[in-house]
Each structure stands twice: as structure tokens, then as C-alpha cells.
Amino acid sequence: AVDAGGVDATLVVDGFRFTGGIARTLSSPRVGMFGGGILCLDASPVFSNCRFESNVSGDAFNFGGGGGGFFWNSSARLVNCVFQGNAAQAGGGLYVLDSNLQLEGCTFTGNTLYDGTSTTYGAGIYVEGGAVVLTGVVCSGNTNADEGGGLYVQAATAVTAHGLECSANAATNSGGGIRVASGGSLVLH
């Protein structure tokens, strides 16, 4: 995994491919393995035309979040990025915690969750805390979630989506496409 800690929007990462990454073990802000492709803590870079493929966070026995990427306390912007074939127990493609991310024209496809000892959330995208804006985002074919196959929105979280497309995602309990937890907010345009 690449650690992008402490940088701001003057850092633009354009056209890179992040593949085969393994998450880093954290004790804060969450305990577990996070950010298989990219680990972005307290940083706000711009990722444009990047691919996050076949990265992993944790496994069936060790909690991991954000197979493709983990963002905490971030105002990063992701433009025309692809998250494909990543795996974790939460946020197979992307795990967003206490952040104000902007995702524009991004695709989340073929991401999956490990069926571990706890409930799995958000095979495509998992969002908890902060405010996230999704514009022209596609979540398709993300699988093995207990809740929120394409997108999972946790309590105390505001997500605004413009032209969000969710198709062929799967969850065993609720929200094959989208699951918004009690106290969470999703506004669709």
C-alpha cells in the first residue's frame, strides 16, 4: 500500500495503477488492517485517472477495511478512477472515515468482502462520518456484503449523489445496491 499522509490538494496523482497491495495494520483511527491500495490519513491529494486493482485489507479472520483505499480526515478528490477486484471486510473498493471526499466519474466493480466473524458492509464503498459527494459514480457487480452491496452509508454520515448508478450488486441481509443505516443520509439527484 502507498501511504499518502499529510499532503494537500497540490499533490496530483494522475494515471497511476495501484495493484496487489496489502493493507497496513493500524491502531488509530481504527484498529485493523486498512488501505490495501492507498492509505490516506489526514491528507487531501487529488487522484485522477488512477486504477486500484486486486488490493486486499485483512482476511476472513483479521478485520480489514478499504481494499482499494482507506481515507481518514481527508478532503481528497478522486476523478475518473477505477476500483476493481479489491477485497476487505468493510469497503471492499473504498472505505471513507470522517472525511469530505469528492468522487467524480469513478467506477467500483467486482469488489468483494471476506465473510469473517462479523457483519460485512459496503462491498463497493463504505462511508462513515463526514460528507461525501458522488458525481457520475458507477457501482456494479460488487458482492458478498451482508449489507450494502454497492454502497453502505453509516449513521452520522451525509452522502449526496448526482447520477449514481448501482447495478448487479449483492448483499445477503439488506441493501443489495444501497444500504443507509439509521441516522445516515443519502440525497439522490
Side-chain angles (χ1 to χ4, degrees), residues 72-135:
W72 171 72
N73 196 31
S74 175
S75 293
R77 188 169 161 233
L78 287 77
V79 181
N80 298 324
C81 292
V82 174
F83 291 79
Q84 182 174 5
N86 301 291
Q89 280 192 12
L94 181 65
Y95 190 118
V96 181
L97 177 64
D98 299 330
S99 295
N100 298 315
L101 259 59
Q102 295 181 46
L103 282 72
E104 304 165 21
C106 295
T107 301
F108 295 82
T109 184
N111 299 291
T112 191
L113 297 178
Y114 296 117
D115 190 10
T117 57
S118 62
T119 304
T120 59
Y121 302 99
I125 306 170
Y126 174 93
V127 184
E128 180 179 350
V132 175
V133 177
L134 308 174
T135 304

Side-chain angles (χ1 to χ4, degrees), residues 121-122 125-129 134 146-161 164 166 171 173-188:
Y121 302 99
I125 306 170
Y126 174 93
V127 184
E128 180 179 350
L134 308 174
D146 290 323
E147 298 185 21
L151 170 65
Y152 183 87
V153 180
Q154 184 57 278
T157 305
V159 174
T160 302
L164 173 65
C166 281
N173 294 338
S174 61
I178 300 170
R179 167 75 163 99
V180 180
S182 179
S185 167
L186 173 64
V187 176
L188 299 171

